[in-house]
Amino acid sequence: MQLFEDALAIEKLNPDVAREASIAAIDAGHVELAVNYSLEAIKRLPTDSGLMCNHAINLMVAGKDKEALEWIEKALAIDPMDKINQNAHQLIKLVSEGKRKRPKFDELM
């Protein structure tokens, strides 16, 4: 993860670095770090609904359902027809209501 930290320090504008760091962190089981990186990606491109969706999923895996719902709803407000955002919203909603088991990080890959 140190290489991502170094890359983030060098490349301060591109959201792709933070997005990829988030994916690598969740894949490695570092859920809170993934949440931090996905938020950083949004800071770099605050109008991207895909980045918001990624962040919402990370939050859900971290057990932060209220925040996850807020972020996925922001993503849907930007792009209400996006099927990935719609599916993520449904998943997060079901998990937050206790109607579906919370996915673990290794089940997302």
Side-chain angles (χ1 to χ4, degrees):
M1 299 308 313
Q2 185 59 49
L3 293 176
F4 279 115
E5 289 290 329
D6 295 344
L8 287 166
I10 294 167
E11 178 52 66
K12 298 190 185 299
L13 299 176
N14 189 334
D16 294 340
V17 175
R19 184 192 69 221
E20 293 300 323
S22 174
I23 293 167
I26 199 86
D27 189 38
H30 303 292
V31 178
E32 287 300 324
L33 190 55
V35 168
N36 293 339
Y37 287 144
S38 58
L39 183 58
E40 179 62 30
I42 293 168
K43 289 178 184 176
R44 294 170 182 222
L45 188 59
T47 59
D48 188 298
S49 70
L51 296 176
M52 291 176 190
C53 180
N54 292 348
H55 186 56
I57 291 170
N58 287 343
L59 287 165
M60 177 199 55
V61 172
K64 299 176 180 182
D65 297 336
K66 183 179 177 191
E67 289 178 72
L69 281 168
E70 290 170 2
W71 278 105
I72 197 59
E73 287 168 3
K74 288 179 187 180
L76 282 170
I78 291 171
D79 193 356
M81 302 309 292
D82 185 285
K83 295 292 184 196
I84 295 171
N85 290 342
Q86 291 172 1
N87 291 337
H89 182 261
Q90 184 65 18
L91 173 63
I92 293 166
K93 189 170 186 251
L94 290 172
V95 168
S96 71
E97 293 171 350
K99 295 179 181 174
R100 182 163 175 170
K101 183 182 140 212
R102 182 176 313 281
K104 297 178 183 161
F105 71 89
D106 57 347
E107 297 171 341
L108 296 172
M109 298 298 160

